[in-house]
Amino acid sequence: MEREHPAGSAPRLSQEHLEQLQQAKRLLEHPGYVARITDVIGMPLEAAVKALPAAWTSKIAAVTNASLTKCLNVANATLRPSGTSSFPKLHSAAVALSGAAGGAFGIAGLALELPVSTVVMLRSIADIGRAQGENLASGEAQLACLMVFSLGGKTAADDASDSGYYAARVALAQAMSEATVYLAKHSLANESAPALVRLIAQIATRFNVHVSQKAAAMMVPIIGAAGGALVNTLFINHFQDMARGHFTVRRLERLYGPDSVSAAYLQLEG
């Protein structure tokens, strides 16, 4: 429930909520995902990505896009619209199992494993959002869950003066708005609807960076099934952290308004 404030006032966040926003910013701006995977594979992740076969680049992009296209309705279908519990460890374990099975089969394994792990991750993201007060019966909230896959660092196209988190939100704002309007008018989403296609394509561009890193790590010859499970666990943990930060910001926006929260966020130390 939003707080009411005098006309023209800029509500200030309470100390408790500023501390929550500070923690959200730490999660969103400094995920540490690359460093943790580098420790697992024993080599710089950038080098592992560059070592991927050239033919894999377009194939990974296609698998990424298809995974996002198929998973939204599947992931949210069995979640209650409201509640306060989330089960990140259960979802992490499921993704670890798929990672253990998928790493040994190259791009074919990724094509089979990624749609499964993406659905599980989106369920976990939605679960975290639900615990933060999101109404998952709302198309806007469902799209906010999907947006989490775009978070976790800047792209080359982002403004260097912006935070990575708000750069992603600005980049997706128009597509998010169009997709939200579409879902508000249609009880059943059509995967080929232009508004959804555009949004998924933009999110997939950002998500593909992480998928390429994951694929590269899992293709390191010494990684094995145990390493594949650990890489996938780090992968879902990253997006769970992004979800915690993102939905904390959205919860505070419902209390104080987007402008007050964004202003406070950008003033906080990173």
Side-chain angles (χ1 to χ4, degrees):
M1 181 177 180
E2 285 195 12
R3 295 182 176 180
E4 292 186 2
H5 303 280
S9 68
R12 295 177 61 85
L13 277 66
S14 69
Q15 185 59 38
E16 178 185 3
H17 288 151
L18 278 173
E19 291 172 359
Q20 292 173 7
L21 188 62
Q22 178 75 77
Q23 177 60 21
K25 185 169 185 176
R26 290 193 188 102
L27 291 172
L28 291 164
E29 305 294 343
H30 305 286
Y33 168 69
V34 171
R36 289 193 289 268
I37 287 191
T38 296
D39 288 342
V40 171
I41 67 176
M43 64 183 293
L45 188 54
E46 293 82 357
V49 173
K50 290 180 180 178
L52 284 172
W56 281 29
T57 303
S58 61
K59 292 180 180 179
I60 290 174
V63 171
T64 300
N65 195 293
S67 298
L68 291 175
T69 300
K70 297 294 184 183
C71 74
L72 180 58
N73 289 337
V74 173
N76 283 339
T78 57
L79 285 170
R80 297 189 305 274
S82 61
T84 57
S85 299
S86 62
F87 305 95
K89 291 183 179 179
L90 179 62
H91 294 116
S92 295
V95 168
L97 288 174
S98 69
F105 299 100
I107 193 68
L110 182 68
L112 294 173
E113 178 268 329
L114 186 64
V116 174
S117 61
T118 304
V119 166
V120 175
M121 288 192 295
L122 188 58
R123 284 181 56 86
S124 183
I125 289 165
D127 212 9
I128 291 168
R130 179 168 58 89
Q132 289 275 8
E134 298 286 344
N135 176 10
L136 297 180
S138 158
E140 191 269 342
Q142 293 174 11
L143 293 178
C145 294
L146 194 65
M147 180 186 170
V148 170
F149 288 113
S150 71
L151 302 177
K154 298 181 181 181
T155 68
D158 292 334
D159 188 329
S161 66
D162 289 337
S163 75
Y165 173 65
Y166 276 101
R169 288 187 64 166
V170 169
L172 292 172
Q174 182 64 34
M176 286 284 288
S177 176
E178 292 173 354
T180 299
V181 170
Y182 169 83
L183 289 181
K185 295 179 178 178
H186 299 82
S187 58
L188 185 63
N190 181 347
E191 296 171 354
S192 63
L196 295 182
V197 170
R198 282 191 293 271
L199 177 62
I200 289 171
Q202 290 187 31
I203 293 175
T205 297
R206 290 171 174 268
F207 185 42
N208 187 58
V209 174
H210 297 292
V211 175
S212 295
Q213 292 168 342
K214 181 174 89 84
M218 293 179 74
M219 294 307 110
V220 172
I222 62 171
I223 197 71
L230 181 54
V231 167
N232 253 23
T233 299
L234 293 175
F235 195 59
I236 188 173
N237 287 350
H238 165 79
F239 288 109
Q240 287 171 339
D241 282 346
M242 294 302 100
R244 292 185 186 100
H246 180 49
F247 291 119
T248 295
V249 172
R250 283 174 55 86
R251 172 171 53 80
L252 295 176
E253 287 177 345
R254 291 193 292 272
L255 290 172
Y256 294 96
D259 292 343
S260 293
V261 175
S262 64
Y265 183 102
L266 295 173
Q267 289 173 4
L268 290 170
E269 293 184 3

